[in-house]
């Protein structure tokens, strides 16, 4: 019995005294320590998550919803987008990516940068954060902002889009107030090697984009926009992730990687040009003679097997057609190293033109409108032919919304399709014409394919349009992402596909 | 107990040795049933405390004091006899009909008489386990143990089983029981693979799957928390205790050699119900290249199909190839052999057991493509060095190789089969030298391919090795005290390789592709490897005090112990793309780019201090108290310990009533117990991972290192420094009754279990910064009843009929959820494709695993609301279907008839209720291959009893030729919305039927054998499913083997039935 007592005492004593060090092994050896994190380590990952969403999912959905894109023969991966449908689950992983990977890590970068007074990096992170929040508002209308990224709060409240816009503008101003043009910016691929001066220009462009988009809803921003334009410190080149892509999986430009490469197993063709954009970029007269061919068209879309530009019809995949097979259609021009544009000079110029148009300054408006088209042609590598485009789509102060709306929609068709969906919702141009998708194609009858019925510069109701969108309307917003709505008790009820975002007056 | 009793009696014998020597009586004790000698029977001289035990030949020798003539002969499980001592006597002990006195091995390897325990423990012996000759022994539990639900993940060889005891209580932790072999806990590794969405499977690696079923002596299922408190955290879901065979004296021989061999065949048992009226095409039109049967009505004409390749095109008869799919599969063959040698030394001090087994299992997929091969070798021995020291050890090694045919969307075999048009012939597409039978000119370019090509060119190979065992020392310094030290170890590793071939077509020989070129299904191909090593080490220090006091009426058993355990794992995953050799060379050197080089390690430790006191009074009332404190490395350091007690009482009330012919035995029992549970590793502190981003379909769309730069990002899951241990509290009452001398045995239990503060990885709104947050989560309640009835309706000298029933009903409820959740629901698993979504959720107030989906909407008077196009208008948000994954009840019937050496036995397994997700069902609708798509003869129709949203009558017809008929099936679940993905899980399965014949002893002894048994058997011979399930075996699962796995199946391979025969020979 004594022996037992001694043994037990030894065992228990050993267990009790050395327990703490014996058990202190719960730090993940596969994770770097939190204390070793720097802005340089975090920034490239955060920005690439934005590039991956903006350059791929948002490009695809924007393209379908702006009727740049239609669905090719036979496959049906995005047929629902072409019918103006978006489900809570379809957008969920993008919502998750932009929040938990882009914004979360940008938030950590901002905290680190603030602590260490890295104001260049602070501005860069704030600019990307503002850009990301704007994109999310433009998709969903409302989302958590003021209570987001707060430890312990698993149900952050949803903020109104208008308040988020105001919040990110304030953040940009704060970041701009602290920065010096020569400040260093953490490692990144968007403006590699650049000091804060380039980021100040980008921040100004993002501010312009935010305020112009809310111009109808918050007209008082006009004064600030005026000052910003007078300052005229915007990027002079397109801001894009480019030159960093490689032709191997994990390093390709995102849209190409997912829709064109074979890196993720069997890959199907989905995205083709839509009749709406083709009819606008390639126009025929009543006799069927080609009267206008946009120089950017071959840069945006590949000609089909017969070297023609053809446009698919929203809402169908021609599945039983005998004439309109996949080789009949035109796919977007894509390559492993295609840039992912964050904001282009053309977009900036269109916004400036719009500002002057609203001020009734037709001269300045026209100057910047033309500059926008020139910049667009320049991005496409066809700068020499810009005059031809301007002649076809001349500025018109009397109906500036139509002029800017259509030209911008065309300019974005090969660049930033997501922005096109936003701007069509806001400017209401291109408008819906009198022709419907079902007038242009009946899947029982190949002879019924008549895209020429569609007026250039107009949109149309897709075949089998989503019941909840209906005729002559765009999908105005997305259902709140499932990763939020199913997990957050504060998520509001979905106001419906046709309920406009706050800026969509 | 047996051993202790022996020790006790031996010591008694020692101190009376030679004292009052008068007469020496020698005798033999044998079993009445078979005349075999009984080793270790106790002989006590009536009126004294003197006695002895029998040796290996059943012989004893005892010296009778003067005036004493009677001895009492007893042996556990046999009726005690008081007889007059005579020299040369033979005592025949009969089976004890007056008590249920099976020996149950309980926690920490303690042997207890079943009658004394106060909780539910059900034991299956070797015969129950091996009669079906299943390579995975847990399959044998199906339908035999009340309250245990076994799900096979698939019929593919070498696949894992899910074992869930008394319902799901943990939402995202493990719900699988702890397996303990001879006192050593095993790690159960269920290896499931999902890489790039290319592969879904669950191989069982290590753990119990590598045990040779013939090595198992018995398996005890400990169900309640009271039973499991001594195993600590990992026993919260119950314990399956396995006792393996050890060396024994066999009659007059001190060794035995046994051989057991079986051969079995398997064939497809369940396929979806296909339609045979419409053929290849889309929207009612022949398309030549579509993957489905939405074409025109079959008319027997001769038609071309598929692309024109090298100026050739295939023709076929446009009529149904009815048995097309069935004929694709072949008969699988499996064999197993097991040899063992066991025995004891001549001085009875050394025992040994050595076994070797080989199992080879080739499934139903053509060729040797789905197979499982396992070799096991086991050695166990014990040595009594002195009368106070016994050493024992065991070592088990296994090596298994599994080739799996992956199930996934795309170029898998099963997708190629399920989407195959009804009028084409599959079985003559084997010749892969023909371009028409490869992706180059396959009949469809839409992402699926020839199943024969798929099985030939995809590679999924796993090799696993496991070594486990123990070294144990038992010391008896004094009679009442046993000190035990046990070192248990379990080492497992696996090497898994996945090869996906390159498809690089240039369409050079394609003359006409009918609109979509085969090259569109080009894929890069890759080689991916996963290597894992893991070990578990356990040190147990136990002290056990056992004695009787107060005139032997008070039985006292006290145990104290300490357990220290460590689990470690290291894992590496590597991938290479851009294959140099497009197929067949599955090595990491075969790629131009390395896209993944990943490593992962974890280590966790725990220390547990525990105690157990059992008090028995007059073999009538037993009280058992347990307590344990655990210290775990996975909890926040300053709050890393937790305490949990348990108590059970049992009362054999029949001791108080006079012996009668009706009620033979009766016991009531009551148990209360708690089991604490710690967290997973690294769920406390913040973590970062190498940065990556995803696309819509593609994972790792961009991946660091990227363009020469590395980056990290916050991990998707947020840890918590406030984690508390989770606590399971269970209350149980039970009743055991035996009537008519054990002709009827009843075991009934009621239990009520609450699991509080579950450590849960809660999916959270990503705007919190994380996709998931580790938190203590709410409360889940399981309560239910279990009933076990075993009867012997007929027993005569040569004929015995046994009939047993078991029934269990478990009610599961999510009682509360974290307040922060507000909405009060969590997705446990889900499927979403396009705009369809099925969620399996935990919702406050509902059973775990409630299924949600988009549903049609109805007017107040029950009319379906449709949109302008006449299609059902589904809800904007997913709705509660009122259906969930839990069964209403489960049960089983087992019977056996024995006569003249023949035994015919059968077991039936029943599950009633519960729903599951089935992608196969959905595919039958999508492809038009399913019977259900014959609705209205595919003629135009208006949805009956439907109105537009404004209440006016629906006048929009649905046509086949404008795709709305297909949309009605594919997008609107033919009026059921997402419910068209669900199927009723009910089934009745004839699990096993066996006819065995044991050759007469007189015959076998002539050829120097002691026992020869031959049997024929069939497993899963018949399965009756719910009438709404025309698709799959309802046990199929594609999501692993836990709660998530209960969600359902995604492209699962078909289920099988097996037939076989077996020979068992003992020398």
């Amino acid at each position: 019995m004594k022996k037992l007592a001694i043994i037990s005492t030894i065992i228990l004593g050993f267990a009790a005294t050395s327990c703490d060090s014996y058990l202190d092994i719960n730090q993940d050896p596969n994770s770097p320590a939190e204390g070793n994190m720097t802005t340089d380590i975090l920034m490239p990952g955060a920005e690439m998550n934005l590039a991956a969403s903006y350059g791929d999912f948002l490009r695809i959905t924007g393209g379908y919803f702006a009727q740049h894109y239609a669905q090719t023969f036979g496959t049906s991966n995005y047929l629902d987008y072409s019918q103006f449908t978006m489900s809570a689950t379809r957008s969920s992983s993008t919502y998750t990516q932009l929040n938990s990977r882009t914004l979360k890590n940008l938030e950590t970068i901002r905290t680190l940068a603030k602590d260490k007074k890295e104001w260049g990096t602070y501005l860069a992170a704030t600019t990307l954060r503002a850009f990301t929040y704007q994109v999310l508002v433009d998709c969903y209308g409302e989302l958590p902002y003021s209570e987001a990224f707060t430890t312990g709060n698993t149900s952050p409240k949803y903020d109104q889009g208008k308040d988020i816009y105001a919040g990110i503008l304030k953040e940009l101003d704060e970041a701009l107030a602290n920065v010096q043009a020569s400040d260093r910016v953490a490692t990144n691929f968007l403006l590699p090697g650049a000091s804060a001066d380039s980021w100040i220009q980008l921040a100004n462009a993002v501010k312009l984009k935010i305020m112009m988009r809310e111009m109808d809803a918050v007209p008082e921003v006009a004064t600030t926009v005026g000052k910003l334009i007078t300052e005229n410190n915007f990027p002079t080149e397109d801001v894009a992730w480019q030159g960093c892509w490689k032709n191997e999986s994990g390093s390709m430009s995102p849209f190409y990687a997912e829709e064109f490469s074979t890196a993720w197993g069997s890959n199907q063709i989905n995205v083709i040009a839509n009749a709406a954009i083709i009819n606008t970029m390639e126009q025929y007269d009543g006799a069927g003679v080609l009267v206008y061919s946009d120089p950017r068209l071959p840069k945006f879309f590949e000609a089909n097997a017969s070297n023609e530009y053809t446009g698919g019809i929203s809402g169908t995949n021609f599945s039983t057609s005998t004439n309109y097979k996949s080789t009949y259609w035109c796919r977007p021009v894509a390559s492993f190293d295609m840039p992912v544009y964050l904001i282009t000079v053309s977009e900036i110029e269109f916004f400036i033109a719009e500002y002057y148009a609203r001020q009734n300054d037709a001269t300045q408006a026209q100057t910047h409108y033309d500059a926008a088209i020139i910049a667009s042609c320049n991005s496409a590598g066809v700068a020499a032919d810009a005059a031809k485009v301007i002649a076809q789509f001349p500025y018109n102060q009397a109906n500036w919304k139509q002029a800017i709306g259509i030209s911008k929609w065309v300019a974005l068709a090969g660049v930033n399709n997501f922005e096109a969906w936003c701007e069509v919702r806001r400017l209401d141009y291109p408008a819906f014409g009198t022709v419907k998708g079902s007038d242009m194609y009946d899947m029982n009858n190949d002879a019924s394919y008549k895209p020429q019925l569609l007026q250039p510069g107009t949109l149309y109701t897709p075949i089998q349009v989503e019941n909840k969108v209906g005729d002559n309307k765009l999908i105005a917003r997305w259902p709140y992402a499932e990763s939020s709505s199913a997990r957050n008790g504060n998520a509001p009820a979905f106001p419906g596909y046709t309920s406009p975002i706050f800026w969509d007056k | 107990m047996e051993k202790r009793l022996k020790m006790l009696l031996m010591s008694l014998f020692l101190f009376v040795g030679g004292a009052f020597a008068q007469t020496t009586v020698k005798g033999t004790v044998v079993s009445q049933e078979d005349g075999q000698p009984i080793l270790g029977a106790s002989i006590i001289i009536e009126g004294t405390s003197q006695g002895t035990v029998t040796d290996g030949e059943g012989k004893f020798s005892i010296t009778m004091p003067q005036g004493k003539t009677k001895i009492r002969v007893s042996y556990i499980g046999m009726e005690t006899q008081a007889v007059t001592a005579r020299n040369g006597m033979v005592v025949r002990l009969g089976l004890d009909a007056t008590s249920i006195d099976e020996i149950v091995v309980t926690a920490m390897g303690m042997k207890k008489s079943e009658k004394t325990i106060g909780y539910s423990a059900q034991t299956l012996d070797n015969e129950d386990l091996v009669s079906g000759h299943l390579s995975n022994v847990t399959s044998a539990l199906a339908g035999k143990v009340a309250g245990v639900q076994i799900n096979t993940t698939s019929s593919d060889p070498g696949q894992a089983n899910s074992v869930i005891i008394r319902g799901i209580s943990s939402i995202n932790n493990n719900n699988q029981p702890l397996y303990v072999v001879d006192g050593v806990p095993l790690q159960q590794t269920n290896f499931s693979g999902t890489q790039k969405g290319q592969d879904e499977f669950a191989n069982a690696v290590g753990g119990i799957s590598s045990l040779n079923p013939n090595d198992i002596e018995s398996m005890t299922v400990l169900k309640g928390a009271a039973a499991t408190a001594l195993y600590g955290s990992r026993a919260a879901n119950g314990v399956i205790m396995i006792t393996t065979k050890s060396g024994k004296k066999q009659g007059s021989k001190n060794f035995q050699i046994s051989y057991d061999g079986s051969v079995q065949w398997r064939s497809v048992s369940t396929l979806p119900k296909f339609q045979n009226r419409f053929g290849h095409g889309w929207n009612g039109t022949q398309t030549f290249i579509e993957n489905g049967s939405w074409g025109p009505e079959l008319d027997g004409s001769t038609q071309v199909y598929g692309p024109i390749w090298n100026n050739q095109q295939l023709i076929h008869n446009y009529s149904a190839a009815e048995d097309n799919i069935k004929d694709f599969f072949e008969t699988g063959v499996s064999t197993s052999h097991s040899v063992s040698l066991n025995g004891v030394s001549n001085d009875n001090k050394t025992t040994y057991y050595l076994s070797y087994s080989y199992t080879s299992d080739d499934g139903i997929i053509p060729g040797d493509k789905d197979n499982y091969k396992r070799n096991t070798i086991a050695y166990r021995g014990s040595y009594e060095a002195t009368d106070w020291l016994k050493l024992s050890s065991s070592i088990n090694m296994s090596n298994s190789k599994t080739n799996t045919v992956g199930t996934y969307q795309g170029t898998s075999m099963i997708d190629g089969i399920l989407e195959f048009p009804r009028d084409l012939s599959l079985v003559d597409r084997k010749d892969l030298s023909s371009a028409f039978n490869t992706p180059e000119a396959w009949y469809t370019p839409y992402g699926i391919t020839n199943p024969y090509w798929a099985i030939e060119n995809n590679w999924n190979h796993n090799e696993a090795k496991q070594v486990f065992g123990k070294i144990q020392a038992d010391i008896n310094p004094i009679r009442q005290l046993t000190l035990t030290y046990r070192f248990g170890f379990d080492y497992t590793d696996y090497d898994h390789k996945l090869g996906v071939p390159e498809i690089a077509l240039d369409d050079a020989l394609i003359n006409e592709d009918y609109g979509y070129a085969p090259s569109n299904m080009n894929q890069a191909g890759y080689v991916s490897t996963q290597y894992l090593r893991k070990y578990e080490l356990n040190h147990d220090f136990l002290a056990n005090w056992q004695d009787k006091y107060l005139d032997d009426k008070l039985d006292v058993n006290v145990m104290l112990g300490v357990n220290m355990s460590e689990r470690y794992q290291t894992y590496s995953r590597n991938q290479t793309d851009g294959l140099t050799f497009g197929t067949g060379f599955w090595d990491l050197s075969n790629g131009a780019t390395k896209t993944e080089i990943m490593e992962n390690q974890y280590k966790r430790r725990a220390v547990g201090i525990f105690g157990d006191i059992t008090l028995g009074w007059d073999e009538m009332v037993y009280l058992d108290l347990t307590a344990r404190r655990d210290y775990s490395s996975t909890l926040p350091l300053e709050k890393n310990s937790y305490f949990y007690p348990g108590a059970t009482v049992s009362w054999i009330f029949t001791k108080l009533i006079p012996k009668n012919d009706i009620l033979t035995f009766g016991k009531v029992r009551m148990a209360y117990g708690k089991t604490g549970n710690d967290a997973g590793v690294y769920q406390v502190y913040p973590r970062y991972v190498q940065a990556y981003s995803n696309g819509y379909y593609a994972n790792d769309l961009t991946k660091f290192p990227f363009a020469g730069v590395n980056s990290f990002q916050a991990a998707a899951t947020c840890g918590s420094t406030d984690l508390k241990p989770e606590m399971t509290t269970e209350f149980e009452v039970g009743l055991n009754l035996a009537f008519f001398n054990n002709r009827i045995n009843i075991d009934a239990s009621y239990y009520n279990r609450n699991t509080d503060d579950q450590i849960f990885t809660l999916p959270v709104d990503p705007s919190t910064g994380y996709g998931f947050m580790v938190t203590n989560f709410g409360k889940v309640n399981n309560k239910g009843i279990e009933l076990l009835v075993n009867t012997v309706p007929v027993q005569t000298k040569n004929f015995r009929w046994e009939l047993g029933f078991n029934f269990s009903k478990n009610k599961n409820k999510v009682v509360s959820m974290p307040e922060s959740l507000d909405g009060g629901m969590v997705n446990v698993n889900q499927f979403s494709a396009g705009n369809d979504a099925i969620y399996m959720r935990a919702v406050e107030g509902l059973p775990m695993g409630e299924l949600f989906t988009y549903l049609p909407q109805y007017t107040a008077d029950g009319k379906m609301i449709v949109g302008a196009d006449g299609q059902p208008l589904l809800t904007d948000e997913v709705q509660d279907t009122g259906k969930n994954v839990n069964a209403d009840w489960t049960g089983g019937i087992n019977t056996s008839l024995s006569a003249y050496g023949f035994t015919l036995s059968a077991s039936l397994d029943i599950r009633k209720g519960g729903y599951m997700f089935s992608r196969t069902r959905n595919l039958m609708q999508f492809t038009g291959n399913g019977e259900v798509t014959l609705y209205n003869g595919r003629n135009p129709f208006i949805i009956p009893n439907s109105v537009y949203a404004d209440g006016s009558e629906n006048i929009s017809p649905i046509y086949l030729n404008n795709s709305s008929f297909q949309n009605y099936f594919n997008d609107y679940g033919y009026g059921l919305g997402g419910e068209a993905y669900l199927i009723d899980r009910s089934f009745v399965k004839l699990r096993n039927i066996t006819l065995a014949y044991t050759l007469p002893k007189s015959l076998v002894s002539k050829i120097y054998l002691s026992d020869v048994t031959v049997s024929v058997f069939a497993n899963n011979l018949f399965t009756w499913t719910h009438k709404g399930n025309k698709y799959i075996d309802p046990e199929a699962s594609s999501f692993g083997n836990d709660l998530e796995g209960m969600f359902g199946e995604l492209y699962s391979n078909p289920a099988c039935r097996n037939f076989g025969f077996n020979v068992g020979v003992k020398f």
Side-chain angles (χ1 to χ4, degrees), chain A residues 22 28 30-31 41 45 80 89-90 97 149 154-155 249-250 258 262 264 267 269 325-326 444 468 482 484, chain B residues 514-516 520 524 577 595 601 605 687-688 694 696-699 703 711 765 820 827 835 839 874 961:
Chain A
Y22 181 72
D28 185 355
N30 303 109
S31 164
I41 290 171
D80 54 339
T89 44
R90 283 282 230 179
Q97 175 143 303
F149 313 112
T154 50
S155 310
S249 86
E258 192 148 70
T262 57
W264 276 270
N267 219 319
I269 304 180
K325 311 252 167 135
S326 65
N444 293 317
K468 293 164 188 166
E482 183 272 336
S484 173
Chain B
Y514 291 97
Y516 198 80
N520 288 321
D577 298 342
T595 53
Q601 285 87 17
R605 288 175 177 158
R687 290 168 52 243
Y688 288 85
N694 292 338
Y696 183 72
Y697 294 106
N699 286 333
K703 185 163 174 53
S711 181
D765 188 328
S820 65
N827 284 341
N835 300 296
Y839 298 110
L874 302 182
N961 64 8

Side-chain angles (χ1 to χ4, degrees), chain B residues 403-475:
Chain B
N403 283 310
T404 306
V405 172
T407 60
Y408 51 90
Q409 181 168 7
T411 55
S412 70
M413 174 202 79
I414 191 69
D415 203 5
I417 285 174
L418 293 175
E419 302 201 26
F420 198 73
R422 296 300 300 144
D423 50 310
L424 303 184
S425 170
L426 188 54
V427 287
D428 50 15
R429 311 304 296 271
K430 278 180 202 157
D431 174 14
L432 300 181
S433 66
S434 161
F436 289 105
N437 296 344
T438 71
E440 185 176 357
W442 186 238
Y443 80 92
T444 180
Y446 291 115
I448 56 169
T449 192
N450 184 357
Y452 289 106
W453 186 88
I455 56 182
E456 193 58 42
N457 287 285
N458 286 283
W459 176 248
N460 185 339
H461 181 78
N462 195 8
E463 278 194 52
K465 291 178 185 64
Q466 184 182 21
V467 184
F468 70 91
K470 67 167 182 184
I471 298 168
Q472 182 171 330
D474 295 283
I475 303 168

Side-chain angles (χ1 to χ4, degrees), chain B residues 882-904:
Chain B
K883 295 174 174 173
N884 68 72
V885 300
N886 302 293
D888 298 337
W889 57 266
T890 58
I893 302 173
N894 300 293
T895 188
S896 77
L897 298 161
S898 349
Y900 302 103
F902 285 94
T903 305
L904 176 66

Side-chain angles (χ1 to χ4, degrees), chain B residues 818-848:
Chain B
E819 262 177 46
S820 65
L821 263 179
D822 267 342
M825 59 172 67
V826 158
N827 284 341
V828 178
N829 202 346
Q830 68 185 67
F831 171 83
S832 63
N835 300 296
D836 294 353
I838 310 284
Y839 298 110
M840 172 182 173
R841 286 179 166 170
V843 183
E844 192 165 303
L846 295 178
M848 181 77 80

Side-chain angles (χ1 to χ4, degrees), chain B residues 145-162:
Chain B
V145 182
V148 176
Q149 195 177 327
I150 313 289
N151 253 30
T152 52
T153 49
S154 81
S155 286
D156 300 349
Q159 301 303 296
N161 281 331
S162 159

